[in-house]
Amino acid sequence: QVQLVESGGGLVQAGGSLRLSCAASGIIFRINSMGWYRQGPGKERELVAAISRSGTTNYGNSVKGRFTISRDYAKNTMYLQMDSLKPEDTGAYLCKADVSTDWSSPSDDFWGQGIQVTVSS
């Protein structure tokens, strides 16, 4: 089994910054892509940012130029640097990882529990 634990959320004023972390642990052979998703009040879950194993990044339109995704392969950890935060960035942020638990089995998606980010105006 694989566990993903998010940290770094909290309350911040508009214009401020936060850095989220997502640490993966458990039976891990290889982590392929990783990503951050968020779900605001009354909204559907949406992709915030994703990063492939090769380091290719992809961002949701609403966060381009303000958020930066990165990962530390040695630590099995992914980060999301969030700058110039807006009230509409408020929501539960969840990390997802596509993980292979051994060399022969197909990979599976694993999700963290989520962490709250609240941006006050």
Side-chain angles (χ1 to χ4, degrees):
Q1 190 60 281
V2 175
Q3 296 81 41
L4 300 178
V5 178
E6 301 100 337
S7 61
L11 174 65
V12 64
Q13 289 188 332
S17 298
L18 283 174
R19 187 187 193 217
L20 303 183
S21 299
C22 171
S25 63
I27 303 173
I28 298 172
F29 174 71
R30 182 179 62 243
I31 298 178
N32 303 306
S33 62
M34 301 184 79
W36 288 99
Y37 291 74
R38 71 184 179 193
Q39 187 159 12
K43 298 181 180 179
E44 294 186 355
R45 187 175 295 181
E46 62 174 345
L47 172 70
V48 176
I51 184 167
S52 71
R53 180 163 180 79
S54 65
T56 301
T57 58
N58 179 39
Y59 294 92
N61 288 332
S62 63
V63 307
K64 285 180 180 177
R66 299 188 297 121
F67 291 10
T68 303
I69 189 172
S70 61
R71 60 191 286 184
D72 184 326
Y73 295 86
K75 295 181 178 179
N76 287 335
T77 299
M78 172 179 64
Y79 305 96
L80 184 69
Q81 177 66 41
M82 305 187 292
D83 298 317
S84 302
L85 282 160
K86 304 176 181 180
E88 50 263 45
D89 293 318
T90 294
Y93 283 68
L94 303 97
C95 68
K96 186 182 82 167
D98 178 41
V99 180
S100 299
T101 55
D102 64 63
W103 67 273
S104 62
S105 299
S107 61
D108 283 317
D109 284 338
F110 294 89
W111 289 84
Q113 293 290 325
I115 193 165
Q116 182 66 30
V117 171
T118 302
V119 184
S120 63
S121 57

